[in-house]
Amino acid sequence: MSHPRYQPCLGGNELAKVLEMQGIVKGFPGVLANDHVDFDLEEGEIHALVGENGAGKSTLMNILYGLYQPDEGRIVCKGRQVRFESPLDSIAAGIGMVHQHFMLVPSFTVYENIVLGAEPRRRGSFDRAKAISRVRELAKRHDFRIDPLARIHNLPVGSQQRVEIMKSLYRGAGILILDEPTAVLTPQETKELFVILKSLARQGKTIVFITHKLEEVMEVSDRVTVMRGGKVTMTKATAQTDAREIARMMVGREVFLQVNKADLTPGEVMLEVENLWVADDRGLFAVKGLSFQVREGEILGVAGVAGNGQMELAEAITGLRPVQAGRIRVCGQDITGNSPFAIRSAGLAHIPEDRYKHGLAKTGTVEENAIMFLHNFSPITNNGLLNRKAITEHADSIIENFDVRPRDRKALAGQLSGGNAQKLIVGREMTLNDKVLVACQPTRGLDIGAIEFLHNRIVQQRDHGSAVLLISVELDEVMSLSDWILVMYEGKSMGELDARAAAVEEVGRLMAGIGKRGSSGKEASA
Amino acid sequence: MRKVKSWKQVLAVQAASMISPVLAVLVSLLVGALIILAIGEDPVNAYYQMFRGAFGDVETFVSVLQRQVPLLLTGLGYAVAFQSGLIQLGGEGQLYIGAFAAALAGYLIPVPAWLHIPLALLIGALAGSLYSGIAGVLRTKYDVSEFLTTLMMTYIASFLTSWLVMYPFRERTATNPGLAAQTMRILDTAKLPRIWPGVDLHIGYLIGIAAAVLVWFFLFRTRTGYTFRMTGFNPYFAEYGGINRTRTIMIAMLLSGALSGLAGSIEVLGVHRRFVDQFSPGYGWDGLAAAILGGSQPLGTFVASFLFSALKTGALGMDRNTMVPFELRNVVQATIMFFVAANIFGSIGFRRSKRSAKAETKGVTKDDSSAVASV
Amino acid sequence: MIHLLSQVFDTQFLASAVRMTTPILLAAMGGLLCSLSGTLNVALEGLMLMGAFGAVAGSFYTGSWLAGVGLAVLLGTLTSVLLSVTIIKYKANELVVGLAVNLAALGATTFMMRTLWQVKGSFIDPRIAPLPSWRLPLIHHAPVLGKVLSGHTPVVYASWAVVLIINYVIYHTAFGLRLRATGENARAAETLGVRTKKLQYVAFILSGALSGLAGAQLSLGLVTLFLINMTAGRGFVAMVAVILGQRLVAGVAGASLLFGLAEGLTMRLQGLRIPPQFVLMLPYLITIITMVLLRPRHPRPVLPEEARKAALEETP
């Protein structure tokens, strides 16, 4: 009775290839995320999948996990073509995924999280004793040191990740996909994870390991597939390549988006961060003693893998997150701990990372979105009353100058496309003509045309004498726009480089945490 | 050219936003007709009698307008809160507190009429405002959801005014030897005058219209109104833009309570002339239905409060002249509110925007789940 | 003072508190199920009112209290199904639509009262069969316990069973595990094949049935009549009990008992020339105060040594 796609991929098969993805094509509006991708897995290997953000790795793995359906191409499992219409299909086929954001129930115990949805039962009730003993057994078999009775919210991140892995193993997964598993781990936890992964591979499990960090690729993987711009640029045994080659294949020789910018002599320091400490939502430090300066007519690009404290840095500077220690000065004025209003008043504009969370009110009109913050001042308001004429003119000028479409100031912001919504935000913030601009992921998810447009605008802003702090996980973007590059790794600065002289490989190494160790932020900025 | 086109678009948007509530009303009336049929009566005649009961002559029409005032004012109070993203449901309680304060001001302060009326109204509004301000403080200072506190405080207000009027402020005169739970009658100087001599409509109606215009002007034409609406649309965006959240929540709560307090004051000064224990037949709840049907817009709330008042007044006539009981209007009104709230006829203002904002920003989803988790 | 206390806290008071606890307890258990599944049932009040009406109607027309209870459960359940479809399927705002159901229940019951019995305000009739009082074997003749725990209606005893069953279902069955997982992290549950929407429907259906039963105790147990809006906010009090009980079965039951005691106290104090309004206010005041006291607090991150030193250095 069982449909072919429910057959487990593994078991009693002599074929070395446990899974093949052939000619996978997946497009999203404006982006071709996977462009005829071939990818295969051999039994018992650790296969690293590397590439920059937007290279198409996540899309490929989401297709494999049944979250997306490919436009073209096929998945072959054990010599038989399969279709994964939902994660349930892929789970049934023996594929497990450990997401970057864990899918755990925090108040539940370890064993409850593991057996959820496939609970052992005895006479209708949940057989806790059996669940516990099965989880114990599972932990013992794979040599996981974990207490099945511990509650998830009491566990460190590394242990939570092990629970995620055990969830897949409990369901008999033969293939494990780990999405950037080390992004959230400490170096010690990373080492422990590698021990586990190697031992799982020895037991015949196949592991896909998605990462940016080349050091880790070299350390743990058997084979490596590199993706760039939706295509596979290389698949090789790890032993036959090296970090330099991988970095080259990952980033590409040429920087794609070339921006013309004039040489400028930077002026006064406009934004100064000194020994800044900021905590994340969990109360752990995400920014650890960071210091830097940005001067007039200068773009400082902050490069780094997502989750190394960049978001917390931006939120602290703009007043959206409390500062635990350190000083921030905007135009010479100490604004540490001030409200967003005071910080903006001191002369700071902000292009936020999440344009729909902080950047816009989707149910408001373009006009209403265009006057945020300006609503405090004349001519937008006079004596507390909104000046309709001035609002209309202001909105129209943003629509005109930043090419926001449709050209309708009464349209709802939520109806604009991503690119036009971002143009509206950038237009609003740049029209403030502030001395400091903090731009976070300004081009995320946009098409090439919009990216070019916004890049030119950011450079123009610098040419007009603004100090620009550009925070981006797109290495191309940072490399092509910045005058100076600061690489962030685990909340600290790995060093500041002159953008004209910096090599992509060098920046890539620093992003991976390799390199001039001991060059703390303080020394770098001094 | 472009101007004409955008005019049309504006009209189209307006028309589209009307479709859902109008459909809700029509379908609910249809549901009402089915119910009338089910109890063996003639729906056409019942609705005709209901129409006559509301618009049959000047007298009934005047009482429609009179009843509309407390619905309109409490409805405007909810509209201000909802537009600011606050789930303030305590209009009924604020109405009681405001009414009681206005009644005291009405008989305790001997001043001339030109001063007495505005003073009593102001005191009533202020009392309602301070009362809802408590929930504002609990929200801003202790992060306790205003949804439950305002509901709880509605019961407290009802018991508190009940005690006040039964014990310390009970009227004990020769005509009322402590039998009825009510305060002294207000002085003549505090009575709201009629708009036209001979027509039993007091100037409270004009105050209601003025309040609707002012609330509209405040929300859509002033800087502070803009900050309220942006906070309601997306509190994270508001914070990012430098809008002070605590200040916005506090002012919105105070203003919302003031409008409900004013509603109670006008009832006392214009209709009952004293505070009577449990005098409100659920004005605060009818006002909530009006605000929801009206999409939290002042004009919409005005129209909806008129409709609900006409429904109520007309139902009295229907009750007199047919076998269909007055309570049919409760069913129809609740069905209207249900259809609008249940989002079955597409999306308008208040409900949908909040939901989608919740679903689409991670941060809000977290907020949402914690709100649910706390209940 | 001692005299007063002994006058208040006797077995009669405790027995009435037990009776008064039942409606709140049943509704709160329903609210708890919805809350655990990650939804919010604001309509407990209206569902209970439908139950109270159904109980009187069923009992009046058949002369059987059992039929009354059956109709109460049925009306509560049907109303809750309607509510849950709008929330789960149409994604309506659970607050607004829940409030609408409360108002609709109020309207529907008053309308039916007028239509069926031509009365306003209240409906009393000798043909309404009240819930019987059952004596518990053994316990009935025990000295104090007998007077407090025995001689109640079947619904009171049923409510005790409901608490035990819900406790078992929530903590000892796969259903309970999945229900709680749905409420806490629906996406995680979904990726493991848990049908979260189905669980939420079940929670709403059960909460409708339990609220209906609560209404039956109200109109056929505590009294034998139907009164306009006779739930008088008990549905909201039940919501509060869910919060105060921190969404634990035992906690919610405890909080319900607290409110039952407050209501029993209210009845006793009414004879003692203490203004009843203050007593009636107590549950609501207690709720607000507790919400403030039990609010979640976020721990402040502790600065590491190096940062603290740096911070000290730069302070002028």
Side-chain angles (χ1 to χ4, degrees):
Chain A
M1 270 315 284
S2 68
H3 191 272
R5 71 170 191 246
Y6 291 113
Q7 290 287 330
C9 289
L10 288 173
N13 197 311
E14 296 129 23
L15 280 176
K17 296 250 190 294
V18 289
L19 187 121
E20 282 176 275
M21 298 177 83
Q22 299 167 346
I24 300 291
V25 177
K26 179 67 183 175
F28 295 105
V31 194
L32 195 54
N34 280 176
D35 185 2
H36 295 90
V37 172
D38 294 322
F39 181 74
D40 64 70
L41 291 172
E42 288 163 10
E43 188 169 343
E45 73 167 343
I46 299 180
H47 194 132
L49 182 58
V50 294
E52 286 194 283
N53 284 303
K57 326 180 286 285
S58 296
T59 306
L60 187 69
M61 287 303 111
N62 283 332
I63 288 171
L64 183 56
Y65 194 57
L67 287 169
Y68 294 152
Q69 309 307 315
D71 300 336
E72 274 178 49
R74 54 191 208 137
I75 303 172
V76 178
C77 188
K78 210 174 79 176
R80 190 182 286 152
Q81 187 170 345
V82 289
R83 271 182 69 81
F84 296 145
E85 273 162 16
S86 81
L88 293 183
D89 293 343
S90 57
I91 290 172
I95 296 171
M97 184 148 177
V98 175
H99 299 267
Q100 211 174 347
H101 303 283
F102 301 150
M103 296 280 188
L104 296 170
V105 184
S107 78
F108 278 21
T109 60
V110 168
Y111 79 89
E112 284 171 333
N113 266 287
I114 292 172
V115 303
L116 180 66
E119 306 87 352
R121 303 187 196 201
R122 197 165 60 103
R123 274 189 253 119
S125 62
F126 174 34
D127 193 341
R128 281 175 192 278
K130 195 186 258 177
I132 295 168
S133 72
R134 277 192 192 169
V135 169
R136 277 231 167 85
E137 204 178 290
L138 190 71
K140 205 174 150 196
R141 180 155 21 116
H142 296 292
D143 203 20
F144 283 15
R145 271 165 302 147
I146 197 152
D147 175 11
L149 297 174
R151 300 220 172 253
I152 296 296
H153 58 69
N154 294 331
L155 292 179
V157 177
S159 303
Q160 293 188 16
Q161 190 172 57
R162 255 169 277 163
V163 176
E164 277 283 8
I165 295 172
M166 286 172 78
K167 266 164 72 175
S168 295
L169 296 176
Y170 179 80
R171 283 163 179 75
I175 298 171
L176 266 178
I177 307 166
L178 292 97
D179 189 5
E180 310 226 4
T182 58
V184 289
L185 300 184
T186 64
Q188 183 55 35
E189 286 173 328
T190 302
K191 278 205 184 73
E192 288 170 26
L193 174 69
F194 288 170
V195 172
I196 288 169
L197 294 185
K198 282 176 181 162
S199 130
L200 287 173
R202 270 198 304 279
Q203 292 167 39
K205 306 283 181 196
T206 307
I207 288 154
V208 184
F209 181 86
I210 304 176
T211 187
H212 296 276
K213 301 179 188 172
L214 304 186
E215 182 189 27
E216 295 172 354
V217 174
M218 300 312 297
E219 185 179 339
V220 78
S221 72
D222 302 312
R223 273 206 304 164
V224 54
T225 292
V226 185
M227 288 186 76
R228 184 176 73 221
K231 292 182 177 164
V232 170
T233 50
M234 181 180 95
T235 300
K236 259 190 186 173
T238 311
Q240 288 162 19
T241 182
D242 57 29
R244 292 185 76 87
E245 187 184 20
I246 297 172
R248 210 169 53 237
M249 300 311 289
M250 192 167 113
V251 181
R253 247 172 231 93
E254 75 280 59
V255 173
F256 293 113
L257 298 155
Q258 203 58 56
V259 181
N260 296 319
K261 57 178 205 254
D263 277 341
L264 280 184
T265 319
E268 298 288 303
V269 172
M270 281 295 140
L271 173 65
E272 191 177 4
V273 167
E274 208 181 299
N275 188 27
L276 187 71
W277 289 76
V278 186
D280 65 12
D281 290 335
R282 297 170 301 169
L284 304 174
F285 280 97
V287 178
K288 302 167 187 167
L290 198 65
S291 303
F292 59 80
Q293 297 176 334
V294 193
R295 291 169 292 182
E296 280 177 311
E298 183 179 74
I299 298 177
L300 175 68
V302 176
V305 175
N308 274 294
Q310 300 98 312
M311 190 185 85
E312 287 80 4
L313 170 67
E315 289 186 354
I317 293 174
T318 54
L320 297 173
R321 187 176 282 277
V323 170
Q324 305 301 332
R327 284 278 165 264
I328 305 170
R329 275 179 277 273
V330 169
C331 303
Q333 187 182 337
D334 187 342
I335 52 94
T336 318
N338 285 7
S339 70
F341 178 82
I343 294 172
R344 280 175 167 274
S345 302
L348 180 140
H350 177 200
I351 300 169
E353 176 174 339
D354 187 336
R355 68 182 74 108
Y356 294 116
K357 183 181 176 189
H358 286 121
L360 287 174
K362 294 172 78 170
T363 38
T365 61
V366 167
E367 216 171 56
E368 287 167 340
N369 277 286
I371 60 167
M372 182 49 85
F373 188 66
L374 274 177
H375 73 268
N376 293 297
F377 309 103
S378 184
I380 300 296
T381 53
N382 292 315
N383 307 317
L385 300 182
L386 297 173
N387 178 349
R388 315 262 302 148
K389 192 158 165 278
I391 292 171
T392 303
E393 280 170 8
H394 180 69
D396 279 344
S397 85
I398 288 178
I399 289 171
E400 203 65 43
N401 295 333
F402 288 82
D403 192 29
V404 180
R405 290 172 209 214
R407 295 176 176 276
D408 177 6
R409 55 176 188 276
K410 294 284 184 197
L412 294 186
Q415 293 167 340
L416 301 180
S417 69
N420 284 301
Q422 187 70 359
K423 284 181 192 168
L424 172 60
I425 296 171
V426 171
R428 176 184 69 216
E429 296 303 311
M430 286 193 175
T431 317
L432 295 172
N433 275 322
D434 279 320
K435 293 305 283 182
V436 179
L437 173 68
V438 176
C440 307
Q441 305 290 2
T443 60
R444 184 158 75 177
L446 303 186
D447 60 58
I448 296 288
I451 292 176
E452 241 168 15
F453 180 87
L454 292 174
H455 280 178
N456 285 322
R457 286 299 181 151
I458 290 170
V459 171
Q460 254 177 44
Q461 190 84 0
R462 158 213 185 242
D463 294 347
H464 290 154
S466 284
V468 179
L469 180 70
L470 170 72
I471 297 178
S472 176
V473 294
E474 311 290 340
L475 190 52
D476 279 354
E477 184 163 276
V478 174
M479 296 287 292
S480 58
L481 292 183
S482 308
D483 298 303
W484 289 86
I485 298 171
L486 182 153
V487 183
M488 257 182 106
Y489 181 73
E490 291 183 347
K492 294 184 178 176
S493 168
M494 291 294 291
E496 267 187 67
L497 308 169
D498 186 333
R500 281 166 303 188
V504 174
E505 286 85 356
E506 191 186 358
V507 178
R509 263 203 314 279
L510 294 176
M511 280 166 67
I514 317 166
K516 297 184 276 186
R517 284 268 186 200
S519 63
S520 80
K522 230 184 219 167
E523 292 161 13
S525 70
Chain B
M1 269 308 279
R2 235 166 87 187
K3 233 175 197 167
V4 176
K5 195 179 162 196
S6 73
W7 220 155
K8 271 186 190 162
Q9 279 172 343
V10 169
L11 270 181
V13 168
Q14 291 290 328
S17 73
M18 301 271 290
I19 289 173
S20 172
V22 168
L23 265 179
V25 171
L26 292 179
V27 173
S28 300
L29 286 174
L30 203 66
V31 170
L34 291 176
I35 293 173
I36 297 170
L37 271 179
I39 61 171
E41 297 294 319
D42 175 12
V44 176
N45 184 47
Y47 279 145
Y48 171 68
Q49 294 296 341
M50 183 186 265
F51 184 81
R52 267 196 34 186
F55 307 111
D57 55 45
V58 177
E59 203 181 309
T60 56
F61 185 65
V62 164
S63 59
V64 169
L65 298 184
Q66 186 120 301
R67 280 208 181 83
Q68 187 194 349
V69 178
L71 272 61
L72 171 61
L73 284 169
T74 51
L76 290 172
Y78 293 119
V80 168
F82 294 163
Q83 288 271 359
S84 319
L86 293 169
I87 310 163
Q88 197 279 104
L89 302 173
E92 179 85 353
Q94 293 142 19
L95 175 135
Y96 269 118
I97 297 289
F100 189 83
L104 289 193
Y107 79 84
L108 288 177
I109 309 174
V111 285
W114 64 267
L115 181 61
H116 204 174
I117 292 170
L119 188 68
L121 290 176
L122 187 73
I123 288 175
L126 200 65
S129 175
L130 291 177
Y131 196 65
S132 68
I134 298 172
V137 170
L138 292 177
R139 165 72 195 270
T140 51
K141 210 166 158 56
Y142 301 108
D143 204 21
V144 175
S145 146
E146 71 283 357
F147 156 55
L148 281 160
T149 52
T150 50
L151 265 179
M152 294 296 122
M153 287 176 68
T154 298
Y155 292 97
I156 294 174
S158 165
F159 291 127
L160 182 66
T161 53
S162 184
W163 173 75
L164 287 169
V165 74
M166 270 194 199
Y167 300 94
F169 294 99
R170 188 173 206 156
E171 179 188 37
R172 289 174 205 282
T173 55
T175 50
N176 178 31
L179 289 177
Q182 58 186 32
T183 62
M184 299 273 286
R185 204 177 153 80
I186 58 168
L187 303 172
D188 283 351
T189 46
K191 281 184 189 167
L192 293 185
R194 291 171 175 180
I195 299 174
W196 292 287
V199 179
D200 195 17
L201 184 65
H202 55 71
I203 59 162
Y205 197 76
L206 300 181
I207 298 174
I209 290 176
V213 173
L214 284 176
V215 165
W216 174 84
F217 186 81
F218 171 75
L219 284 174
F220 296 95
R221 290 288 181 269
T222 70
R223 179 174 63 197
T224 312
Y226 171 79
T227 63
F228 278 27
R229 288 187 302 114
M230 292 307 120
T231 307
F233 282 154
N234 180 354
Y236 296 98
F237 174 53
E239 187 192 10
Y240 151 91
I243 293 172
N244 184 331
R245 193 155 177 206
T246 304
R247 182 169 168 269
T248 301
I249 292 174
M250 276 314 296
I251 298 177
M253 284 302 284
L254 290 172
L255 189 58
S256 176
L259 285 161
S260 295
L262 188 63
S265 313
I266 289 175
E267 277 303 287
V268 163
L269 304 185
V271 181
H272 302 280
R273 306 283 155 83
R274 55 170 32 117
F275 185 91
V276 183
D277 190 21
Q278 309 298 318
F279 72 92
S280 164
Y283 289 135
W285 302 113
D286 291 345
L288 176 63
I292 286 172
L293 177 64
S296 304
Q297 301 285 334
L299 180 63
T301 307
F302 179 84
V303 174
S305 61
F306 178 78
L307 177 82
F308 287 150
S309 177
L311 199 64
K312 196 169 188 170
T313 313
L316 289 168
M318 179 185 71
D319 189 282
R320 274 193 302 273
N321 298 325
T322 71
M323 291 302 289
V324 182
F326 163 79
E327 283 76 9
L328 180 76
R329 80 102 205 177
N330 297 5
V331 178
V332 173
Q333 183 176 315
T335 314
I336 292 172
M337 193 175 155
F338 180 77
F339 279 134
V340 173
N343 197 29
I344 287 169
F345 301 119
S347 64
I348 58 154
F350 172 61
R351 335 163 306 287
R352 196 62 196 151
S353 62
K354 281 188 133 172
R355 264 262 155 192
S356 52
K358 269 184 196 170
E360 275 145 26
T361 56
K362 270 187 225 149
V364 190
T365 317
K366 204 176 67 192
D367 230 34
D368 181 28
S369 63
S370 67
V372 172
S374 69
V375 169
Chain C
M1 190 65 199
I2 290 167
H3 177 66
L4 182 95
L5 282 178
S6 68
Q7 216 178 331
V8 172
F9 293 99
D10 56 8
T11 52
Q12 216 184 329
F13 156 71
L14 291 174
S16 83
V18 167
R19 274 196 297 277
M20 302 296 245
T21 301
T22 295
I24 297 169
L25 179 63
L26 285 168
M29 286 294 137
L32 173 65
L33 288 173
C34 288
S35 176
L36 287 175
S37 79
T39 56
L40 183 62
N41 191 344
V42 186
L44 295 175
E45 175 86 0
L47 299 175
M48 211 197 288
L49 192 60
M50 292 300 280
F53 176 83
V56 163
S59 173
F60 172 74
Y61 286 115
T62 64
S64 148
W65 63 268
L66 212 54
V69 169
L71 192 59
V73 170
L74 186 70
L75 280 188
T77 308
L78 289 180
T79 315
S80 194
V81 166
L82 192 70
L83 174 69
S84 61
V85 170
T86 62
I87 291 175
I88 300 167
K89 188 171 158 88
Y90 292 97
K91 306 213 182 312
N93 183 311
E94 48 209 348
L95 270 169
V96 184
V97 80
L99 289 169
V101 165
N102 287 336
L103 292 184
L106 185 59
T109 51
T110 47
F111 175 79
M112 293 302 283
M113 231 164 99
R114 276 296 300 283
T115 316
L116 295 175
W117 306 315
Q118 287 80 43
V119 292
K120 282 185 175 182
S122 63
F123 176 60
I124 311 175
D125 193 285
R127 280 170 287 178
I128 307 173
L131 296 175
S133 34
W134 285 355
R135 295 179 170 189
L136 287 180
L138 299 176
I139 297 178
H140 186 74
H141 296 290
V144 176
L145 276 183
K147 288 218 174 82
V148 176
L149 295 180
S150 182
H152 291 296
T153 67
V155 175
V156 172
Y157 302 129
S159 73
W160 302 348
V162 162
V163 173
L164 294 178
I165 293 168
I166 286 188
N167 187 65
Y168 176 79
V169 167
I170 287 179
Y171 302 118
H172 300 284
T173 66
F175 172 83
L177 191 74
R178 292 173 183 197
L179 188 80
R180 287 183 288 137
T182 301
E184 214 177 313
N185 189 346
R187 258 177 71 88
E190 266 162 31
T191 57
L192 295 177
V194 173
R195 294 172 63 189
T196 54
K197 284 187 177 175
K198 194 181 106 187
L199 291 172
Q200 290 175 337
Y201 276 119
V202 171
F204 264 104
I205 288 169
L206 288 176
S207 100
L210 292 173
S211 303
L213 197 59
Q217 168 71 3
L218 221 49
S219 63
L220 292 183
L222 300 179
V223 289
T224 313
L225 55 89
F226 184 78
L227 203 73
I228 278 188
N229 201 10
M230 75 184 301
T231 43
R234 284 185 180 85
F236 296 121
V237 172
M239 285 182 71
V240 172
V242 177
I243 303 171
L244 288 194
Q246 313 213 331
R247 308 203 306 159
L248 301 167
V249 174
V252 175
S256 304
L257 181 62
L258 185 76
F259 293 134
L261 283 168
E263 284 203 45
L265 190 68
T266 310
M267 297 200 66
R268 296 293 289 171
L269 292 178
Q270 269 165 355
L272 295 175
R273 305 179 64 83
I274 296 173
Q277 289 90 350
F278 284 107
V279 186
L280 289 165
M281 249 184 249
L282 272 179
Y284 308 106
L285 275 176
I286 290 171
T287 309
I288 292 178
I289 293 166
T290 323
M291 279 196 281
V292 171
L293 294 180
L294 293 181
R295 70 186 187 277
R297 273 168 247 233
H298 302 290
R300 281 183 64 88
V302 182
L303 277 178
E305 198 54 39
E306 39 180 329
R308 224 172 315 163
K309 250 186 253 157
L312 280 178
E313 274 166 28
E314 73 193 35
T315 35

